[in-house]
Amino acid sequence: MTAGTAILDKARTERRTVLTEFESKKLLERAGIPVVETRLVRTKQETISVSKGLGFPVVLKIASPDIVHKSDSGGVRLGIANATQASRAYSEIMSSIKQRYPSAIIHGLTVQKMARPGIEVIVGMSKDPQFGPVLMFGLGGILVELLKDVSFRIVPITKRDAAEMIREIKGYPLLKGYRGQEPANIDMLEDLIVRVSRFVEQTPEIKELDLNPIFAYKDRVVAVDARIILEG
Ligand code: ADP
Ligand code: MG
């Protein structure tokens, strides 16, 4: 966990409690939690070369500890298909962010593989004053906002608890493959939730965690966005 410690130390030194998506994904990756391949870049040239290296289509996102809601800030571009589009998206994101948040600290941009559409789910952790870390599982997108269709368990959880969390939500039939749609790999989702439980148990510095969304397929699950907030 040396590199993981380095990320936490850097945030502590800079007196910030927000980890960027990139930093959050690095910690998660080391904990064995599947995240989409994500690189940090600092220049337009690097954006283009890394995009080519990953293979189009890619996603570009602003990387800043001061910008927590990236889409709302004009900081996310999906489905970038070639070098010209990557170059344009780099300029557009940077100028939009500099205009809206002139004092934001910018680490650069992330370039990510564009994941194909899957069933969107979310896993979160927040700390309850009485019970400590509590995990949440739900369907992503408008379903979670509109229906509050989520389940909760106190950390640490077993694989059996994770299985129950998944089956408890009303949207469970969607995960099983509704009307011929591709199902989600439930076993891999259970595994992911257990790994998140272990990770937060072993990292008490974490105050809040959000994997929103995770894309679930029949043979794979992968978090495409991650946010970690540290204790102050
Ligand atoms: P925000 O900070 O606004 O939550 P996200 O990183 O979640 O930003 O990106 C917004 C949306 O874009 C996600 O909810 C997801 O639907 C889509 N998205 C983000 N990253 C990827 C990716 N790597 N591949 C495919 N879709 C993505
Ligand atoms: Mg998100």
Side-chain angles (χ1 to χ4, degrees), residues 173-188:
L174 272 175
L175 297 174
K176 295 282 285 176
Y178 191 65
R179 295 202 170 170
Q181 295 248 7
E182 181 181 345
N185 190 310
I186 308 283
D187 184 60
M188 286 178 146

Side-chain angles (χ1 to χ4, degrees), residues 149-194:
D149 185 19
V150 293
S151 56
F152 295 94
R153 284 293 182 288
I154 297 166
V155 170
I157 64 154
T158 62
K159 179 120 169 163
R160 193 199 172 103
D161 295 321
E164 286 174 8
M165 282 180 88
I166 293 170
R167 284 158 182 80
E168 259 171 35
I169 64 166
K170 294 189 203 75
Y172 178 62
L174 272 175
L175 297 174
K176 295 282 285 176
Y178 191 65
R179 295 202 170 170
Q181 295 248 7
E182 181 181 345
N185 190 310
I186 308 283
D187 184 60
M188 286 178 146
L189 276 179
E190 291 169 5
D191 240 41
L192 184 150
I193 299 170
V194 169

Side-chain angles (χ1 to χ4, degrees), residues 8-56:
L8 296 174
D9 284 349
K10 181 166 186 280
R12 201 175 296 122
T13 309
E14 293 173 5
R15 295 177 180 282
R16 65 181 159 92
T17 55
V18 176
L19 297 187
T20 63
E21 175 188 357
F22 181 73
E23 292 167 329
S24 305
K25 282 177 167 173
K26 281 282 159 264
L27 292 183
L28 291 159
E29 211 168 26
R30 272 178 208 118
I33 295 156
V35 301
V36 78
E37 196 169 355
T38 301
R39 303 276 175 76
L40 184 70
V41 295
R42 288 180 183 80
T43 65
K44 185 181 274 192
Q45 214 41 56
E46 216 186 337
T47 303
I48 294 168
S49 62
V50 169
S51 299
K52 283 181 179 163
L54 283 180
F56 295 104

Side-chain angles (χ1 to χ4, degrees), residues 21 25 36-38 57-61 67-73 75-79 111-117 120 141 212-213 215 217 223-227:
E21 175 188 357
K25 282 177 167 173
V36 78
E37 196 169 355
T38 301
V58 296
V59 175
L60 292 188
K61 301 183 196 173
I67 298 163
V68 173
H69 300 290
K70 300 175 295 289
S71 321
D72 295 350
S73 318
V76 177
R77 289 297 153 89
L78 303 173
V111 183
Q112 321 185 355
K113 286 288 274 187
M114 172 88 185
R116 70 177 171 88
E120 291 191 21
N212 183 9
F215 284 11
Y217 310 102
V224 303
D225 185 24
R227 186 169 63 100

Side-chain angles (χ1 to χ4, degrees), residues 104-142:
I105 288 167
I106 312 287
H107 290 181
L109 290 188
T110 58
V111 183
Q112 321 185 355
K113 286 288 274 187
M114 172 88 185
R116 70 177 171 88
I119 301 175
E120 291 191 21
V121 302
I122 64 175
V123 170
M125 185 281 287
S126 57
K127 281 184 173 165
D128 180 272
Q130 217 160 355
F131 301 114
V134 176
L135 291 182
M136 185 203 68
F137 173 79
L139 288 173
I142 51 168

